[in-house]
Amino acid sequence: MLAPQLLLKTLEGLRKDDFETFKWYLTMEVLEGCSPIPVCHLEEASRTNTVKRMTENYGEDSAVKITIEILKKLGNNNAAEELKKKYAASPAAPVAPPAAPVAPPAAPATISAQSGSVIIAPTITGSTAGTWNVNVTR
């Protein structure tokens, strides 16, 4: 089951009061680095809209982690553990199709300048993965 479906199923298991408290926690920084969702986005939000806001703001992994933390704050440890187990057991995201063949790397380039000159390095586009060596000598 995908993260948004797991989150929705979890929120559907909450009583109305607990769901309102859950949304209240979302307006605070529950996990460090995860910005709160503005109150106006959650005031009248249904469970489905709440899941949508969470995944948009935090991404799926962080939305699950935040949900687990809030469930613990609500004293609903069973639901927190169940969500944690189901999410850990869920299959990984679909694998992307293989990319087009990559051209062989270009020959190393050497750029030099006279004393007091400025070198404007080339802009690198495409993948920036791999090893980069930059040597500056005086």
Side-chain angles (χ1 to χ4, degrees):
M1 195 179 290
L2 299 174
Q5 294 167 318
L6 287 171
L7 291 170
L8 179 59
K9 185 172 180 161
T10 300
L11 295 185
E12 286 174 339
L14 296 178
R15 295 181 321 224
K16 184 177 180 180
D17 290 349
D18 286 341
F19 178 60
E20 292 302 318
T21 305
F22 181 90
K23 291 192 300 183
W24 177 76
Y25 274 113
L26 290 175
T27 65
M28 300 176 213
E29 186 175 339
V30 177
L31 292 179
E32 190 174 326
C34 292
S35 301
I37 298 174
V39 173
C40 65
H41 292 176
L42 296 170
E43 281 179 322
E44 302 297 322
S46 65
R47 285 166 169 78
T48 54
N49 285 337
T50 300
V51 169
K52 180 181 175 189
R53 292 284 183 191
M54 290 171 60
T55 55
E56 286 174 350
N57 278 19
Y58 307 127
E60 291 183 1
D61 287 340
S62 292
V64 170
K65 289 176 186 174
I66 287 171
T67 301
I68 291 168
E69 287 305 309
I70 294 174
L71 289 170
K72 289 177 182 177
K73 290 178 185 289
L74 293 173
N76 199 338
N77 294 328
N78 291 337
E81 280 303 311
E82 186 176 336
L83 175 60
K84 188 175 180 179
K85 287 177 188 174
K86 286 183 179 180
Y87 187 65
S90 66
V95 178
V102 178
T110 302
I111 301 173
S112 60
Q114 300 296 322
S115 177
S117 298
V118 175
I119 296 175
I120 299 175
T123 302
I124 300 168
T125 59
S127 174
T128 57
T131 303
W132 294 86
N133 293 321
V134 177
N135 297 318
V136 178
T137 56
R138 288 188 98 180

